Amino acid sequence: MKAIIISVGDELLKGHRVNTNAPFIARELSDIGIPVTRIVACSDDPQAIRDSIVSSLADADLVLMTGGLGPTNDDRTRDAVRELLGRGLVLDEPSFERIAEYFRRRNRPVSDIMKDQAMVIEGSVAIPNTKGTAPGMIIDCAPRFAGRHLVLMPGVPTEMEEMMRLTVIPFFAPLSGAFIRHTPVMTTGIGESLLASMIAEVEDSLPSGTTLAYLPHAVGVSLMVSTSGTDKESVEEENRRVVEAIAAKAGHFVYATSEVTLEEVVVKTLLEKGLTVAVAESCTGGLVGSRLTDVPGSSGCFLEGLVTYSNQAKVRLLGVDPATIEEHGAVSEPVASEMARGCLERSGADIAVATTGIAGPGGSTPEKPVGTVCVGVASKSPDGSVQVEATRLIMYGDRRQNKLRFSEAALRGLLVRLKEMEF
C-alpha cells in the first residue's frame, strides 16, 4: 500500500506558511507500514484540486488531503471532490450535534454556515473533529477509482493530528499488509563525506527492503535506517543488524540510535553517573548552558554557567592568568584550559567545559580564522586530582551557525570525557 499527500492552500505556494502537516502525516503512515511516495502542494482552485486527486489516485492506493474544509469562500476541497466523484452531500448527525453543542455552550445560534460544516460526501466515513468543527472524511473512491481511498482533513494542524491518531491510523493499519522500522543513527563531530566513507561497506551490502538516508543538519549529519517487509520480527531483526554494523564502523561518532539530542544524552549520562556540571562560555554566549538546561531534569546535574565574554571577565571570574592571554591570545588552548579549570574549581562541579573562539564575521587573523574555537574540559578524578584538556577546531559558517556548532563541540567534549570518567 502506497500513499500520496496533497496539501491544499494558496498560502503554501506563496510561501506564507510552512507545510508542517505533510511530515507529520508521513511519519504516522510510516509507522503502520504505508510509505509516502509523493507530497504535493496544490492551490485552492477547484480544477487544480481535482487534477491533483486524479493524478495521485492513479499512482497510489491512498491519498490524503489537508486544507480547504472550512467555512470560508476559499475552502473548496469538499465540493471539488464531490463533483469529481459525482456524489451528493449528506448531514453527519454526530458532527452536527458536536457543532451545535459547541455554540450552545457559548450562547450563540447555529447558523446555516455551521450546519453546512457538518455535511459530508455521500458514502464517506466521517472523521470526528475533536478539536474544531468540520469533520474529515474517508472515501472509498469506487467505482471510478476502484481500490483507492481518499482522506480529507482540515489544514489546522491540531485538528488534523487528532484525526490521524484517533481515526485514520486505526482505519488503515489493518489494511497496510506491511511493517516498517525506522531507526535514527545520531552522529556528532563528523561530516557527511567522511561518514559515508566510513560506512561504505555497510551501505554497499544493505539487504533487500532496507534503505539508508543521510540527514544533514545545522551541526552535522544523522542517518535513518529504514527496513520494510511483511514479517514484523524479520523487519526488526534486519534493521537492528544494519544499525549495529553502522555503529561499529562509525565508532565514537555515534552518540545515540534513537531520536534524541546530544544535550539530552549528556544530561542523561550526568544523572546516571551522579555527576554535576558547570560551564564557562565566551564565544557561545550562554548557548551551551541554555541547551543543557533545555533538558527536563537538568536541575539534577547543572550547577551554574558563566558567560565570560571579555578578557577581564575571564581573569576576574575564572582566574585565567593575564600572562596566558597575553602570550597565547584569548582564543587558544591554554586559555580554554584555564577557563575550564577555573570553572571546575570555583563551581565545585565534577566536570566543566569552556569555550573561547571567533564566531565572526570579524576578529580573525591568518593563524586564527573565523570559525576557530577552543574547547576546554576539566574533570575531577576519584583521587581528587584534576584532568584538563583543550582542543582547537575550525568551523565554517556565519556567526549564528558557528555559535551553534561551537556549542555542539562543547557538548561533544563533555560526553567524551563523561564516558571516560569512573565514579
Side-chain angles (χ1 to χ4, degrees), residues 117-188:
Q117 284 277 276
M119 302 294 286
V120 298
I121 294 171
E122 189 178 14
S124 64
V125 176
I127 306 174
N129 190 338
T130 60
K131 299 292 184 179
T133 54
M137 289 162 256
I138 299 175
I139 306 168
D140 185 334
C141 297
R144 181 174 178 182
F145 304 98
R148 307 298 204 229
H149 282 86
L150 176 64
V151 176
L152 306 183
M153 294 179 289
V156 179
T158 53
E159 298 179 27
M160 177 277 299
E161 289 172 9
E162 282 294 283
M163 289 184 177
M164 285 292 296
R165 293 191 183 105
L166 299 179
T167 305
V168 178
I169 294 302
F171 185 94
F172 288 102
L175 307 178
S176 71
F179 298 94
I180 299 180
R181 173 69 174 179
H182 300 288
T183 303
V185 180
M186 313 299 288
T187 73
T188 181

Side-chain angles (χ1 to χ4, degrees), residues 187-190 218-220 262-263 266 283-284 287-288 291 352-356 371-377 389-395 401-417:
T187 73
T188 181
I190 187 171
V219 292
L262 183 57
E263 52 265 35
V266 170
C283 55
T284 46
L287 185 54
V288 177
R291 289 180 63 176
V353 66
T355 62
T356 178
T372 300
V373 65
C374 295
V375 176
V377 179
E389 293 179 353
T391 304
R392 176 178 171 179
L393 303 166
I394 297 179
M395 312 291 182
Q401 290 171 329
N402 282 335
K403 286 182 67 177
L404 182 59
R405 290 164 183 170
F406 292 171
S407 71
E408 186 82 356
L411 293 171
R412 186 166 64 249
L414 274 176
L415 185 59
V416 170
R417 178 64 61 82

Side-chain angles (χ1 to χ4, degrees), residues 96-380:
F96 178 66
E97 284 303 315
R98 275 191 295 271
I99 295 170
E101 178 61 24
Y102 176 88
F103 282 94
R104 280 196 293 266
R105 287 198 304 267
R106 289 158 178 78
N107 295 318
R108 295 170 59 187
V110 180
S111 65
D112 290 339
I113 292 178
M114 289 300 101
K115 187 172 183 179
D116 182 69
Q117 284 277 276
M119 302 294 286
V120 298
I121 294 171
E122 189 178 14
S124 64
V125 176
I127 306 174
N129 190 338
T130 60
K131 299 292 184 179
T133 54
M137 289 162 256
I138 299 175
I139 306 168
D140 185 334
C141 297
R144 181 174 178 182
F145 304 98
R148 307 298 204 229
H149 282 86
L150 176 64
V151 176
L152 306 183
M153 294 179 289
V156 179
T158 53
E159 298 179 27
M160 177 277 299
E161 289 172 9
E162 282 294 283
M163 289 184 177
M164 285 292 296
R165 293 191 183 105
L166 299 179
T167 305
V168 178
I169 294 302
F171 185 94
F172 288 102
L175 307 178
S176 71
F179 298 94
I180 299 180
R181 173 69 174 179
H182 300 288
T183 303
V185 180
M186 313 299 288
T187 73
T188 181
I190 187 171
E192 189 173 2
S193 298
L194 180 56
L195 179 59
S197 66
M198 292 181 71
I199 65 172
E201 184 178 341
V202 178
E203 190 169 9
D204 291 341
S205 59
L206 290 175
S208 176
T210 297
T211 61
L212 176 64
Y214 289 80
L215 309 174
H217 48 84
V219 292
V221 59
S222 296
L223 304 170
M224 183 65 74
V225 180
S226 301
T227 305
S228 61
T230 57
D231 181 75
K232 184 178 180 181
E233 290 187 3
S234 298
V235 166
E236 292 183 344
E237 175 63 21
E238 202 66 72
N239 187 269
R240 182 188 62 78
R241 282 201 296 265
V242 173
V243 170
E244 290 178 351
I246 290 172
K249 292 289 185 182
H252 66 277
F253 294 111
V254 174
Y255 71 82
T257 54
S258 60
E259 202 74 53
V260 293
T261 63
L262 183 57
E263 52 265 35
E264 287 175 318
V265 175
V266 170
V267 168
K268 181 176 182 289
T269 305
L270 283 162
L271 293 173
E272 288 176 346
K273 288 178 173 282
L275 301 177
T276 56
V277 64
V279 299
E281 305 182 59
S282 182
C283 55
T284 46
L287 185 54
V288 177
S290 177
R291 289 180 63 176
L292 287 170
T293 54
D294 280 344
V295 181
S298 56
S299 59
C301 60
F302 186 88
L303 294 188
E304 63 185 62
L306 295 172
V307 179
T308 54
Y309 211 67
S310 67
N311 290 345
Q312 294 89 337
K314 293 177 178 65
V315 173
R316 178 168 52 87
L317 297 175
L318 298 173
V320 175
D321 189 340
T324 304
I325 298 176
E326 179 67 25
E327 180 179 356
H328 300 282
V331 181
S332 63
E333 291 99 315
V335 168
S337 294
E338 291 191 18
M339 289 174 65
R341 181 186 289 273
C343 182
L344 184 79
E345 293 173 347
R346 298 182 182 213
S347 67
D350 298 302
I351 188 170
V353 66
T355 62
T356 178
I358 305 169
S364 65
T365 67
E367 294 78 22
K368 299 176 183 178
V370 168
T372 300
V373 65
C374 295
V375 176
V377 179
S379 61
K380 295 176 183 176

